[in-house]
Amino acid sequence: MRDYYEILGVSRDADTEAVKKAYRKLALKYHPDRNNGSKEAEELFKEATEAYEVLRDPEKRARYDRYGHAGVKGAAAGAGAGGFDFADALEIFMRDFGGFGFGDLFGAGARRSGRANRRGQDIRVRLPLTLREVAEGTSKKLRVEVLEPCSACAGTGSEDGAAPVVCSTCGGTGEVRRIQRSLLGQMVSVTPCPACGGEGQRVERLCRACAGRGLAPTSRTVSVDVPAGVSTGDYITLRGQGNAGVRGGPPGDILVVLEVEEDARFIREGADLVTDLPITFSQAALGAELEIPAIVGRVRVRVPPGTQSGTLLRLKGRGLPHLRGGGKGDLIVRVVVWTPTELTVEQEALFRKLAEIETAAPDAAEEGGGRGFWSKVREAFSA
């Protein structure tokens, strides 16, 4: 993951205003509405927004300066369990810049000339996936509630199909200006016209089916192709499949946010997987070749003689695919020596005999017993 200061192109002592200015420049450059749905631009937009959300906040920035990315993991955008995603990035941008001339910068200055933004709203849906679907990739069909042009008025909002007329309240500008006098002089406030909603025109006879909105709710089935190796918080954009625009405006998008369900057999670490393998005393002492479940099918693993409980065995390439290619991760097998809770008379006799002749166990410190399981896992991942 790149350094947040490097992403925004600011120095480490840059003030909040410099951070905001640098982010705004990058966000306008890479915003999806300016890049024809480029996946690369979306990733850069998300990356810049994540960096901005950390560096603009003094507390998060202090943790980042001290601990790096580990200090703010999951903190960007106040991200939830799914982590920081593209939808979060859009919300942050609109939160901080949506009310400060953002529309004009994107060619939507029509608000000042009497036309509101007619693009349809985006729809955000969540798609649950199993770990096996992540391993293989999958295609899904989703039932989505969307707004389509009203069939009764063909999306015009007019009962008889008549063309809209110029709004008499704002004179077609789409804006209402109010002048207030104070001790400091005159103050002019400009707001969207309440009579026409900022469109600058009105329908005289409203369609009874849609109450003049020109839109009607309907249910639609969409197909989603999910590549192998995705993670919770990744998203897929279905361009132009969201809500229809007002009176012929372009449709919005559908943002499919992915949620990978937990699998009781595995712990996921990126493309690597960790699983437990219970074995008996005799298998640990003598060694064994065993079959264990993998994400798809089963694999065989060799347990060497003298294996200790907590030993980690690595099966190369048996993990999950890397999302952007480059092969697969590994399956890390944690060996757990199972202790029976009930013994038969014969088993107890054998264990008592073994106790008389077995070698004493070494001290934990000599065997590195003070290290926790996850420290061993980290070592295995870095191997």
Side-chain angles (χ1 to χ4, degrees), residues 43-279:
E43 285 298 326
L44 292 170
F45 178 79
K46 186 178 85 167
E47 181 184 56
T49 307
E50 181 174 346
Y52 164 69
E53 187 65 1
V54 169
L55 298 186
R56 64 175 283 277
D57 184 288
E59 183 180 342
K60 293 177 185 176
R61 183 172 178 175
R63 293 204 308 269
Y64 177 74
D65 288 342
R66 185 170 184 182
Y67 302 110
H69 292 290
V72 292
K73 186 176 182 181
F84 186 88
D85 57 31
F86 178 64
D88 293 322
L90 287 176
E91 290 175 7
I92 289 169
F93 184 84
M94 293 306 297
R95 178 198 70 195
D96 289 3
F97 297 101
F100 297 94
F102 166 69
D104 294 340
L105 293 167
F106 273 65
R111 178 171 295 178
R112 286 200 303 225
S113 62
R115 296 295 182 268
N117 183 4
R118 294 180 174 182
R119 180 180 182 273
Q121 292 185 332
D122 294 336
I123 299 173
R124 182 175 177 176
V125 297
R126 297 196 173 268
L127 175 62
L129 298 170
T130 65
L131 209 53
R132 176 161 184 165
E133 289 171 331
V134 171
E136 298 180 319
T138 185
S139 293
K140 294 277 192 177
K141 291 189 180 297
L142 295 177
R143 198 73 178 167
V144 183
E145 297 297 321
V146 299
L147 294 176
E148 297 279 12
C150 173
S151 58
C153 64
T156 64
S158 172
E159 180 68 26
D160 53 10
V165 297
V166 174
C167 175
S168 58
T169 301
C170 64
T173 64
E175 296 177 339
V176 174
R177 296 174 179 265
R178 292 183 174 86
I179 300 177
Q180 294 178 318
R181 289 181 172 82
S182 68
L183 294 176
L184 300 177
Q186 290 186 343
M187 297 182 62
V188 180
S189 63
V190 181
T191 59
C193 174
C196 64
E199 289 190 49
Q201 53 188 11
R202 298 178 61 182
V203 174
E204 292 188 312
R205 295 184 59 190
L206 301 181
C207 170
R208 285 174 289 180
C210 65
R213 296 179 62 199
L215 301 172
T218 186
S219 184
R220 183 201 303 159
T221 299
V222 296
S223 297
V224 185
D225 292 326
V226 182
V230 296
S231 302
T232 293
D234 288 342
Y235 64 92
I236 296 173
T237 304
L238 304 181
R239 292 290 177 194
Q241 298 191 48
N243 290 322
V246 177
R247 299 191 226 294
D253 303 327
I254 296 179
L255 302 177
V256 182
V257 183
L258 308 179
E259 292 182 341
V260 181
E261 299 172 347
E262 291 188 3
D263 190 311
R265 302 169 300 169
F266 305 100
I267 296 173
R268 181 178 183 182
E269 289 289 331
D272 294 326
L273 298 172
V274 182
T275 188
D276 280 347
L277 172 60
I279 63 173

Side-chain angles (χ1 to χ4, degrees), residues 360-370:
D363 291 339
E366 295 177 7
E367 290 295 307

Side-chain angles (χ1 to χ4, degrees), residues 16 29 52 326:
T16 304
K29 179 179 179 181
Y52 164 69

